[in-house]
Amino acid sequence: EVQLVESGGGLVQPKGSLKLSCAASGFDFNSYGMSWVRQAPGKGLDLVADISSKSYNYATYYADSVKDRFTISRDDSQSMVYLQMDNLKTEDTALYYCTVATMMEGVMDAWGQGASVTVSS
Amino acid sequence: DIQMTQSPSLLSASVGDRVTINCKASQNINKYLNWYQQKLGEAPKLLIYNTNNLQTGIPSRFSGSGSGTDYTLTISSLQPEDFGTYFCFQHNSWPLTFGSGTKLEIK
């Protein structure tokens, strides 16, 4: 069974930093790209960052709203994916989901329970 | 960027009703369209992928159709457990984008 477990959320002041972690299990982690999708309170879903597998040279994608502030990375030896969030803004307040497309690219079929990030002074 | 416009944003229906939710892309997405259901306090769950493929374990009352820019999720006979918010998602081209959601309420 595929499992994704996020951690590292919390309350941070504007311009602060936070690092989210996602522990993956139940699938061949090395073979799949991983994504972070966020959902602001009462709002919709936004894909904010994606990292491909080694086969695709760990290519990354960032939404314009987080480019140059967020960094996605992965540790294949530990089956972990991370989201380093710097220079946080109040509009980054959201539940951050770790997701994976195990069936085929673009079909995110497994999601974690989410990590809550609140940016407030 | 491809914009995904969902309609309606709010839908109230009765158990047993046939329900349709629409998603319109700002350009052709070649059937690379998924549907997700999200219940309050839970992560989204994949229902349909690539327009009309039912995810394993999803009841057959859910179906999807469409092509080009226009896509539809249909629930043939609404059940009480189908309440929640439904999102479409295009993975034809980056940035991959979600629709704004349709909140389905059970009368």
Side-chain angles (χ1 to χ4, degrees), chain A residues 22-25 27-32 34 51-54 58 73-82:
Chain A
C22 172
S25 61
F27 64 103
D28 182 14
F29 182 82
N30 296 356
S31 298
Y32 297 98
M34 300 295 297
I51 185 166
S52 68
S53 65
K54 183 179 180 180
Y58 300 122
S73 61
R74 60 189 292 160
D75 182 342
D76 289 351
S77 68
Q78 299 291 322
S79 298
M80 297 287 294
V81 63
Y82 304 99

Side-chain angles (χ1 to χ4, degrees), chain A:
Chain A
E1 179 193 2
V2 174
Q3 279 201 317
L4 301 170
V5 180
E6 302 96 335
S7 60
L11 172 64
V12 62
Q13 292 187 337
K15 300 186 179 181
S17 297
L18 208 58
K19 186 173 186 177
L20 303 182
S21 301
C22 172
S25 61
F27 64 103
D28 182 14
F29 182 82
N30 296 356
S31 298
Y32 297 98
M34 300 295 297
S35 305
W36 288 94
V37 173
R38 73 181 180 186
Q39 186 170 36
K43 301 297 184 182
L45 301 163
D46 290 301
L47 197 159
V48 294
D50 178 274
I51 185 166
S52 68
S53 65
K54 183 179 180 180
S55 299
Y56 295 92
N57 297 315
Y58 300 122
T60 57
Y61 157 82
Y62 298 97
D64 286 345
S65 58
V66 307
K67 203 170 291 182
D68 299 325
R69 300 189 298 120
F70 289 12
T71 303
I72 189 171
S73 61
R74 60 189 292 160
D75 182 342
D76 289 351
S77 68
Q78 299 291 322
S79 298
M80 297 287 294
V81 63
Y82 304 99
L83 187 66
Q84 175 68 44
M85 303 182 292
D86 297 319
N87 190 21
L88 282 159
K89 304 177 180 181
T90 55
E91 53 264 39
D92 295 320
T93 293
L95 191 60
Y96 286 73
Y97 293 104
C98 175
T99 77
V100 63
T102 65
M103 294 193 310
M104 62 186 70
E105 189 175 344
V107 181
M108 294 177 287
D109 56 314
W111 298 62
Q113 83 288 353
S116 179
V117 174
T118 302
V119 184
S120 175
S121 54

Side-chain angles (χ1 to χ4, degrees), chain B residues 85-107:
Chain B
T85 302
Y86 292 79
F87 295 94
C88 61
F89 173 75
Q90 70 82 18
H91 59 101
N92 179 70
S93 59
W94 290 87
L96 310 186
T97 45
F98 290 90
S100 54
T102 295
K103 186 174 182 180
L104 176 57
E105 298 180 337
I106 309 296
K107 279 184 184 175

Side-chain angles (χ1 to χ4, degrees), chain B:
Chain B
D1 299 3
I2 297 177
Q3 309 302 319
M4 304 300 293
T5 303
Q6 263 186 259
S7 62
S9 55
L10 177 64
L11 181 56
S12 184
S14 299
V15 172
D17 283 354
R18 181 181 181 88
V19 167
T20 60
I21 298 171
N22 301 298
C23 191
K24 187 174 184 66
S26 59
Q27 59 187 267
N28 182 8
I29 56 171
N30 298 300
K31 296 192 172 184
Y32 290 111
L33 189 284
N34 305 337
W35 290 98
Y36 293 87
Q37 176 196 61
Q38 186 179 33
K39 296 190 177 183
L40 195 63
E42 297 183 6
K45 179 169 73 174
L46 177 67
L47 300 176
I48 302 276
Y49 63 95
N50 294 350
T51 296
N52 56 10
N53 295 278
L54 195 67
Q55 171 66 338
T56 302
I58 301 302
S60 58
R61 64 179 179 273
F62 291 90
S63 65
S65 63
S67 64
T69 61
D70 295 295
Y71 298 84
T72 299
L73 173 70
T74 300
I75 308 173
S76 60
S77 179
L78 195 64
Q79 299 301 301
E81 61 267 29
D82 297 338
F83 73 91
T85 302
Y86 292 79
F87 295 94
C88 61
F89 173 75
Q90 70 82 18
H91 59 101
N92 179 70
S93 59
W94 290 87
L96 310 186
T97 45
F98 290 90
S100 54
T102 295
K103 186 174 182 180
L104 176 57
E105 298 180 337
I106 309 296
K107 279 184 184 175

